[in-house]
């Protein structure tokens, strides 16, 4: 059985590569459709009666009990826990002033960044692991049903720690992210293949360190994938810099390649998820108004992280300046084993 | 016609909810399953989604297309409540116990359902590298077949965020499942009337082009 066939004109029709198939859709177990339908209508009728009785009162008591539907003995407490202001995993979304980007400053800044990146070679032995530790957060829009009328709240995940260990060949690894299951971490078992969208460390060492050749490869990788080619190239390079330990020559070349992408600007004031102030190299996707910002230390030009800022209000009511995702890199280095931490924090 | 059902849903017409349920319960149920890999949880999510839709009916726009994206968005929020341990314990969550239903024993069907669970768990394992937000976008855009705008509506996110999350997620996922021995990788079904666009064989690194 195959999963739902892709439907022309839908999102998955963008020249999409095959994705893992999911099982074909199934009906509810026999009899359950009608039972649930009856429960739903019973709940609706009960709510209408209750509302009529309580005219003038603002809030429904929560939870209220649903009458037992004929032949189906079920007590349903209606009173849904929808993440709201008291949601411990969410914090209000960050909204920042949208500073104008400066296109003229990008090449010079990226050159400084490239020079800073071109330091000593970091060698990763086959039995060692690249370790990257970051703080991550994404936008979550939730509906609060505790208010009347209901309100939409623009939240972000509470910033959480993400730790990734990967062997240089990409075959072994571990991901531990706060709040995600399993708590002890998810083994990452790669195939040993790698590409520009999911690079292993070994793969990175095979890439050209000539900016022009690199740029050509990046654009070729995105060809046929739809969307704005320049934005895609910028995003691909961003991906090669994030959660990796790029060889210094490659890092420098990636920054020099990015400097050649049309539309890349400097944003003078950017802050990473930990609050570190930086200067950003950025590009706005005109179609969506999202600006992807790579943030660097303004003095050392070290890479601090990446964030995405919505530069104009969306139809969905997400205001201009909302940070839709943010990643701050806290540590990236080489360690001896899975779960091992950098030396200074190893257990004594 | 779709506008008409929107108006009736907004007005709190019970018949409109019955119609909504008949049309979309199955899709919501399967979406819940794909998010959780658990049929019982999927059934709870489905039931809660429609109860929540009733509560949220006033938020429906008078104009627009199918209400399925809206329902799938509610289901996605609901599924989050189930997949996070802390929230699972919340007493306030509506509880339906599918055990209370008398289920005829169709053993073929039960076996099929177990196969589906295993299959989906393999997909989820492969997707573990993705962030939850990325998994949700895959689930809506790829498996439930919503377009970007509908998925954005479902999640309340900007369209661009949906697009970029999907693009990043699918690129990661693609490679993670490429050699999966469980048969996750299949040639895509031929798309009726559609020319399949493939990436140009551009570089020796572009292994996708050879598929």
């Amino acid at each position: 059985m195959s999963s739902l066939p892709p439907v022309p004109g839908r999102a998955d029709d963008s020249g999409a590569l095959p994705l893992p198939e999911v099982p074909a859709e199934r009906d509810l177990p026999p009899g359950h459709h009608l039972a649930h339908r009856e429960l739903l209508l019973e709940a609706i009728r009960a709510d209408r009666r209750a509302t009529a009785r309580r005219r003038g009162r603002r809030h429904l008591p929560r939870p209220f009990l649903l009458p037992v539907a004929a032949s189906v003995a079920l007590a349903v407490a209606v009173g849904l826990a929808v993440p709201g202001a008291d949601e411990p995993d969410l914090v209000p979304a960050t909204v920042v002033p949208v500073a104008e980007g400066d296109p003229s400053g990008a090449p010079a800044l990226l050159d400084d960044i490239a020079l800073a990146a071109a330091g000593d070679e970091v060698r990763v032995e086959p039995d060692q692991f690249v370790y990257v530790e970051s703080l991550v957060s994404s936008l979550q829009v939730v509906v609060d049903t505790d208010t009347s009328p209901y309100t939409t709240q623009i939240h972000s995940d509470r910033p959480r720690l993400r730790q990734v260990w990967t062997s240089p060949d990409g075959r072994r690894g571990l991901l531990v992210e706060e709040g995600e299951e399993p708590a002890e971490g998810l083994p990452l078992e790669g195939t040993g293949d790698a590409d520009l969208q999911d690079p292993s460390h070994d793969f990175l060492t095979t890439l050209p360190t000539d900016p022009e050749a690199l740029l050509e490869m990046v654009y070729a990788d995105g060809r046929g994938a739809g969307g704005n080619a320049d934005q895609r190239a910028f995003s691909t390079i961003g991906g090669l810099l994030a959660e990796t330990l790029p060889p210094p020559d490659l890092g420098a070349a990636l920054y020099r390649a990015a400097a050649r992408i049309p539309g890349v600007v400097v944003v003078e004031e950017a802050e990473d998820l930990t609050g570190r102030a930086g200067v950003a190299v950025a590009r706005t996707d005109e179609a969506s108004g999202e600006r992807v910002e790579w943030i660097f230390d303004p003095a050392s030009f070290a890479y601090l992280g990446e964030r995405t800022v919505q530069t104009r209000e969306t139809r969905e009511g997400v205001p201009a300046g909302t940070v839709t995702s943010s990643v701050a890199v806290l540590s990236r280095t080489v360690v001896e084993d899975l779960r091992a931490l950098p030396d200074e924090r190893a257990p004594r | 016609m779709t506008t008409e059902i929107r108006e009736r849903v907004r007005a709190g017409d019970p018949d409109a909810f019955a119609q909504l349920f008949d049309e979309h319960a199955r899709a919501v149920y399967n979406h819940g399953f794909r998010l959780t890999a658990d049929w019982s949880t999927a059934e709870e999510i489905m039931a809660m989604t429609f109860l929540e839709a009733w509560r949220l009916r006033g938020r429906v726009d008078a104009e627009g297309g199918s209400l399925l994206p809206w329902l799938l968005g509610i289901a996605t929020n609901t599924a989050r409540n189930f997949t996070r341990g802390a929230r699972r314990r919340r007493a306030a969550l509506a509880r339906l116990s599918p055990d209370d239903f008398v289920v005829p024993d169709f053993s073929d069907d039960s076996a099929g359902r177990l196969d589906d669970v295993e299959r989906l768990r393999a997909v989820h394992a492969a997707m573990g590298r993705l962030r939850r937000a990325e998994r949700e976008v895959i689930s809506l855009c790829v498996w439930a077949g919503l377009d970007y705008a509908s998925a954005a509506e479902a999640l309340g996110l900007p369209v661009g965020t949906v697009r970029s999350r999907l693009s990043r997620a699918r690129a990661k996922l693609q490679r993670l499942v490429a050699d999966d021995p469980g048969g996750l990788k299949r040639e895509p079904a031929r798309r009726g009337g559609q020319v399949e666009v493939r990436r140009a064989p551009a570089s020796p690194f572009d292994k996708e082009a050879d598929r």
Side-chain angles (χ1 to χ4, degrees), chain B residues 170-205:
Chain B
R170 69 180 313 140
K172 280 194 222 167
L173 190 57
Q174 200 56 54
R175 199 181 69 75
L176 287 166
V177 299
D179 284 356
D180 185 273
L184 296 176
K185 179 192 161 197
R186 303 270 177 89
E187 283 303 309
R190 217 183 136 68
R191 292 164 198 187
Q194 285 285 305
V195 178
E196 193 160 297
V197 183
R198 295 225 173 180
R199 294 198 287 175
S203 79
F205 301 99

Side-chain angles (χ1 to χ4, degrees), chain A residues 192 270 275 329:
Chain A
V329 174

